[in-house]
Amino acid sequence: MDNQTAKDQLDTVIRKARVHFYKPIQIAEILHRDRIEKDIDLGDLETYRTPSRKWRDEISLRFIGRISTSSARYQDDLFNANATPPTVLSQLGKINRDSNGAVEAYIYTALRNRLSQMSSGLSIVLQSDNNSFTLRNFIDSFTRDPGLSRSVDKIFEIVVYALFSTLLEVLDVKIGVRIDNINNTVLSEFSDFTEKVLGLSEDTPELYQAAKVYRVGVTNAADRGLDMWANFGVAIQIKHISLTPTTIKDISSAISADRIIIVCQESEKDVLVSVLKQFGSASRIQSVITEDELEEWYEKALRGQSSELIGDKILQKLANEIKVEFPSTTSEFDNFFKERGYDHLSLVDF
């Protein structure tokens, strides 16, 4: 394999990577281990397949504050023929050793650039107020940028969370649990259960608390499963990707809740409802909310009659969630580059 072919395949992995950059980081750390420790054989996948996840996680925690939670099978896709199999890694390793780490530096420069792009998205929120922020422009700023478009589904999730959580808070919504059969002998016999699991007892048969929504965090590799959940019994699936019959079936089958809210693009709504009816799952869907409806709600929240109560809270939640999801510090990168000696390397030849 020649150098250009190996570089092209590495560039493909970088281009497809989401902002968290787990797979490119793993490649960089495999090459770093080969160059510094010299205790792995790049031609023998089993010498680094599993341990390289730990090497990657150490770096991910440093720059991103989280680690990959995808399945082992999905993580191993990194070594497929169309990504960076041992043959590609062996060629990259040779280039990397001969250049004292230029391939590693190339990958981490790409990561720094990607996180810098995400910071520009955050600046849109920080520099906006109730009058200037528009949801459409904010989302479009990510879809227009090839480096950020892979993470637009996570941005869409943050947009939904900021709105839902703010409205529940401002509306002061309360949810509760209550034991109706207060004199039931079962209650007496299982009083320890009701106290530990429900927080209820004969003296406190009712309990009320603020209604809240929670983000689950990083979704799994197939982009299925639960994105947000509410303490009032609703599961929320958020999709800014094109829906297929298989994806829609996964949405329904992967969530055990009886009430599901799905947030998707306007163009996906009809096919979603149609396919769910085919699978007999429509009864579990409480509602389908479209991006157009979100845009209308944001318009009301920022510039409507109650904007003074709602607007600033939503923008603050947007900013906070983006900072948590996509942390980035230039000084930390500068220190890392100096530690590794990347700051003295030229990437022109790679």
Side-chain angles (χ1 to χ4, degrees):
M1 175 172 290
D2 59 72
N3 289 358
Q4 188 59 48
T5 300
K7 181 179 183 298
D8 288 344
Q9 295 205 214
L10 172 61
D11 284 339
T12 297
V13 174
I14 291 175
R15 186 174 62 254
K16 290 182 177 181
R18 299 192 178 194
V19 172
H20 295 118
F21 241 58
Y22 292 129
K23 290 183 178 179
I25 290 175
Q26 190 167 353
I27 294 172
E29 289 310 292
I30 290 171
L31 297 178
H32 180 71
R33 187 82 179 193
D34 169 70
R35 180 172 67 93
I36 300 300
E37 301 296 337
K38 301 180 176 63
D39 58 355
I40 60 174
D41 177 1
L42 293 179
D44 183 358
L45 177 58
E46 296 311 314
T47 64
Y48 54 84
R49 180 206 299 270
T50 300
S52 63
R53 297 173 196 162
K54 180 180 178 181
W55 308 335
R56 173 205 62 208
D57 289 347
E58 291 175 355
I59 301 298
S60 295
L61 282 172
R62 181 171 182 175
F63 291 120
I64 305 168
R66 64 186 66 216
I67 63 175
S68 174
T69 58
S70 299
S71 67
R73 180 177 179 181
Y74 176 76
Q75 294 181 55
D76 280 352
D77 285 347
L78 174 63
F79 307 116
N80 288 348
N82 61 353
T84 51
T87 52
V88 172
L89 288 172
S90 294
Q91 191 65 28
L92 291 175
K94 182 178 184 304
I95 301 170
N96 192 58
R97 290 189 298 274
D98 292 344
S99 60
N100 295 318
V103 183
E104 301 164 42
Y106 179 81
I107 293 171
Y108 284 119
T109 298
L111 171 59
R112 179 166 59 181
N113 292 341
R114 186 71 62 85
L115 290 177
S116 176
Q117 291 172 320
M118 184 58 70
S119 296
S120 66
L122 174 61
S123 67
I124 293 176
V125 180
L126 295 177
Q127 296 171 12
S128 297
D129 56 24
N130 291 12
N131 293 320
S132 60
F133 182 87
T134 63
L135 182 61
R136 182 68 63 183
N137 287 341
F138 177 63
I139 293 179
D140 285 351
S141 69
F142 292 93
T143 58
R144 285 193 301 263
D145 192 322
L148 301 180
S149 59
R150 291 278 297 169
S151 296
V152 71
D153 55 334
K154 190 59 65 175
I155 290 298
F156 198 50
E157 178 185 319
I158 290 172
V159 161
V160 174
Y161 171 80
L163 176 67
F164 285 20
S165 60
T166 299
L167 289 178
L168 288 172
E169 180 182 325
V170 173
L171 289 168
D172 196 21
V173 180
K174 295 290 190 295
I175 59 102
V177 290
R178 181 180 67 192
I179 298 176
D180 285 333
N181 296 322
I182 194 65
N183 295 318
N184 196 312
T185 55
V186 177
L187 175 59
S188 297
E189 187 175 4
F190 287 93
S191 59
D192 53 345
F193 166 83
T194 59
E195 289 178 9
K196 292 182 177 181
V197 178
L198 301 174
L200 301 178
S201 65
E202 292 186 38
D203 295 330
T204 309
E206 297 182 28
L207 179 65
Y208 294 91
Q209 59 182 312
K212 293 184 179 181
V213 291
Y214 302 91
R215 293 181 61 213
V216 172
V218 181
T219 53
N220 66 25
D223 210 18
R224 299 166 46 189
L226 183 64
D227 293 318
M228 288 167 50
W229 65 276
N231 63 355
F232 45 93
V234 174
I236 303 170
Q237 253 285 346
I238 301 164
K239 289 291 165 235
H240 200 271
I241 60 173
S242 294
L243 296 169
T244 65
T246 300
T247 305
I248 296 169
K249 183 179 180 181
D250 288 342
I251 290 173
S252 178
S253 62
I255 302 176
S256 59
D258 294 326
R259 296 160 56 207
I260 303 172
I261 295 174
I262 296 177
V263 186
C264 64
Q265 298 180 76
E266 180 70 36
S267 58
E268 307 287 358
K269 181 178 180 179
D270 291 340
V271 65
L272 172 68
V273 173
S274 175
V275 174
L276 285 172
K277 287 181 178 178
Q278 294 177 33
F279 291 132
S281 302
S283 60
R284 298 175 58 216
I285 307 302
Q286 175 172 302
S287 62
V288 177
I289 298 171
T290 67
E291 186 175 347
D292 289 352
E293 289 177 293
L294 283 178
E295 189 173 5
E296 181 182 343
W297 290 344
Y298 260 84
E299 185 67 24
K300 291 178 181 178
L302 296 170
R303 288 171 281 277
Q305 296 179 10
S306 303
S307 59
E308 291 186 4
L309 292 173
I310 305 172
D312 289 342
K313 290 180 181 292
I314 286 184
L315 293 179
Q316 187 61 57
K317 285 183 184 290
L318 273 175
N320 290 344
E321 290 299 309
I322 293 174
K323 288 177 183 177
V324 170
E325 190 72 34
F326 307 107
S328 173
T329 56
T330 303
S331 60
E332 183 67 12
F333 268 106
D334 291 342
N335 293 336
F336 179 71
F337 271 55
K338 290 177 181 178
E339 290 170 10
R340 291 277 182 97
Y342 300 152
D343 54 322
H344 299 302
L345 298 178
S346 172
L347 306 182
V348 175
D349 296 330
F350 179 67

